[in-house]
Amino acid sequence: MSELLRVENLRVSYHTYAGEAQAVRGVSFTADEGGTLAVVGESGCGKSVTARAIMGLIPVPPGEIKEDSHIWYEGKDILTFSKKEWQAFRGAECSIIFQDALASLNPTMKIGKQIAETVLLHHETDKMQAWREAEGMLGKVGISDPEKRMHQYPHEFSGGMRQRVMIAIALACGPRIVIADEPTTALDVTIQADIIELLKKLQSERHMTVILITHDLGIVADMADKIVVMYAGEVMEEGTDTDLFYHAKHPYTEALLKAVPRLDMGVQELAPIEGTPPDIVHPPEGCPFYERCSHAMRLCGYRRPPAYEFGEGHRARCWLYHPLAERGGE
Ligand SMILES: Nc1ncnc2c1ncn2[C@@H]1O[C@H](COP(=O)(O)OP(=O)(O)OP(=O)(O)O)[C@@H](O)[C@H]1O
Ligand SMILES: [Mg+2]
């Protein structure tokens, strides 16, 4: 698959009263055309900040995108976009589905108008045509009786239905990339599965590239072909779904896997990861997972591990793979 979007050494900070919160610290990955890239990690590890950077939605200040950060799309670094270029990019090339549909929708505006407005923003068409396109889109995301539903307000939809509306809005302008930031976290488990199915269906119909952001590895198994595991603003491990689910190298990935139920593993004991992530205002010099890692060696506490390769595209930042390290810790 060919590369469509490449994030390279992305560093994003927020200037707060407590100091500089280094939310994203040197993140790199690529999203392939038509593929699904999952970005996984615990709360606060920088997933949404990364997504916002790709959408040009980091407020500056308090946010700051550090020098030497790049996000390449079609040979251009989108971080150098003008306001006009961002407007053209957002919606038509890349769009985002947020977790909280209720907060993202306008409560006082008919659903139909909210979708049609997005269409009008990017397509040269009249209001009637935009309305018809919006109605078609509502049908495509599985909302029955779209003609009637177009005239209703967000509160008249259930949580799952509202998330479908969000998907309709995100897809209204036919973007090549869709970022789904925890699209199902607020929903019941069965509805979560429906939404993931819907995303998969639309993705294959439209040959879209999906960047799926979640803290739940269980959701990823079904959809992603490439996975990036983030921790405290850094990428700990990346690889294909097979690499990560069956040949995980980083102790953090292993810990994440033990924390989710797996259908292919029979009955297992789930083990939550003990401890908490480090303070990102004073990030540790060594491996950020050091304090919580059951394999930690002295070196991990003060020196940042390099990325070791285990085959094409499978990399993990962990000192255990230094030729002189003995797995199992000191
Ligand atoms: N506007 C902001 N001001 C200050 N700090 C922020 C701001 N936005 C994000 N951060 C910090 O950046 C870090 C990364 O946040 P981010 O929202 O990317 O986490 P996340 O991985 O998406 O977590 P979750 O799974 O909870 O959504 C967090 O420590 C957060 O507190
Ligand atoms: Mg988030």
Side-chain angles (χ1 to χ4, degrees):
M1 277 194 282
S2 62
E3 169 186 313
L4 186 60
L5 184 95
R6 177 150 47 99
V7 174
E8 193 178 309
N9 189 35
L10 179 68
R11 289 187 297 141
V12 185
S13 285
Y14 283 94
H15 295 277
T16 68
Y17 287 113
E20 181 184 335
Q22 301 176 36
V24 174
R25 300 183 297 136
V27 162
S28 301
F29 56 76
T30 58
D32 296 327
E33 183 134 39
T36 302
L37 170 80
V39 179
V40 191
E42 281 167 289
S43 185
C45 71
K47 305 181 297 291
S48 296
V49 171
T50 303
R52 279 199 208 105
I54 299 173
M55 292 297 291
L57 296 174
I58 302 283
V60 180
E64 181 194 357
I65 297 184
K66 298 285 190 173
E67 250 177 66
D68 285 334
S69 302
H70 305 281
I71 300 176
W72 301 100
Y73 177 73
E74 305 242 282
K76 213 167 168 189
D77 184 354
I78 65 176
L79 295 178
T80 65
F81 271 178
S82 65
K83 216 172 161 186
K84 217 172 149 194
E85 284 173 306
W86 273 121
Q87 274 165 2
F89 177 78
R90 265 185 235 127
E93 303 292 324
C94 184
S95 64
I96 188 160
I97 304 161
F98 290 109
Q99 167 182 344
D100 188 354
L102 200 52
S104 310
L105 291 166
N106 181 342
T108 64
M109 198 193 278
K110 283 179 181 171
I111 288 292
K113 190 153 185 236
Q114 300 195 48
I115 309 173
E117 284 208 334
T118 315
V119 177
L120 279 171
L121 215 54
H122 292 279
H123 291 180
E124 280 191 19
T125 174
D126 58 39
K127 281 191 176 165
M128 277 293 286
Q129 182 58 26
W131 185 269
R132 271 196 295 272
E133 274 182 41
E135 195 179 297
M137 208 50 234
L138 213 49
K140 281 202 191 82
V141 296
I143 290 185
S144 52
D145 205 359
E147 204 183 325
K148 180 177 139 221
R149 289 294 209 159
M150 288 284 280
H151 295 278
Q152 293 182 329
Y153 293 89
H155 73 268
E156 296 174 80
F157 289 67
S158 68
M161 288 292 161
R162 276 197 293 264
Q163 199 53 298
R164 285 174 190 268
V165 171
M166 289 309 296
I167 295 174
I169 292 175
L171 267 48
C173 297
R176 291 171 75 189
I177 305 173
V178 172
I179 305 175
D181 188 355
E182 310 259 9
T184 63
T185 308
L187 306 172
D188 292 345
V189 179
T190 48
I191 297 170
Q192 281 186 9
D194 292 346
I195 296 289
I196 292 294
E197 276 312 308
L198 171 67
L199 271 175
K200 273 165 66 177
K201 183 180 129 235
L202 294 168
Q203 174 182 31
S204 70
E205 278 172 18
R206 300 172 162 234
H207 197 64
M208 292 183 310
T209 301
V210 173
I211 300 179
L212 177 67
I213 294 178
T214 175
H215 58 265
D216 183 350
L217 264 174
I219 289 185
V220 169
D222 221 21
M223 190 164 175
D225 35 49
K226 238 164 84 171
I227 303 171
V228 167
V229 177
M230 280 183 71
Y231 186 76
E234 293 183 39
V235 174
M236 298 280 106
E237 182 164 1
E238 62 183 308
T240 63
D241 51 339
T242 315
D243 291 337
L244 289 240
F245 279 103
Y246 298 100
H247 312 283
K249 297 292 179 189
H250 201 289
Y252 179 59
T253 314
E254 287 174 355
L256 269 186
L257 285 168
K258 282 190 195 135
V260 293
R262 303 242 326 243
L263 289 175
D264 58 340
M265 301 282 271
V267 179
Q268 334 120 60
E269 252 179 60
L270 295 184
I273 311 173
E274 300 278 328
T276 48
D279 172 11
I280 55 165
V281 175
H282 306 286
E285 269 176 44
C287 173
F289 193 54
Y290 172 68
E291 295 282 346
R292 301 168 80 185
C293 181
S294 52
H295 301 287
M297 301 175 289
R298 227 178 326 123
L299 174 67
C300 311
Y302 59 86
R303 194 158 297 161
R304 192 169 177 246
Y308 291 97
E309 279 234 33
F310 306 91
E312 212 195 312
H314 186 191
R315 279 181 284 273
R317 270 186 191 280
C318 177
W319 281 119
L320 287 176
Y321 301 97
H322 186 281
L324 295 179
E326 236 178 82
R327 188 146 175 135
E330 283 180 335

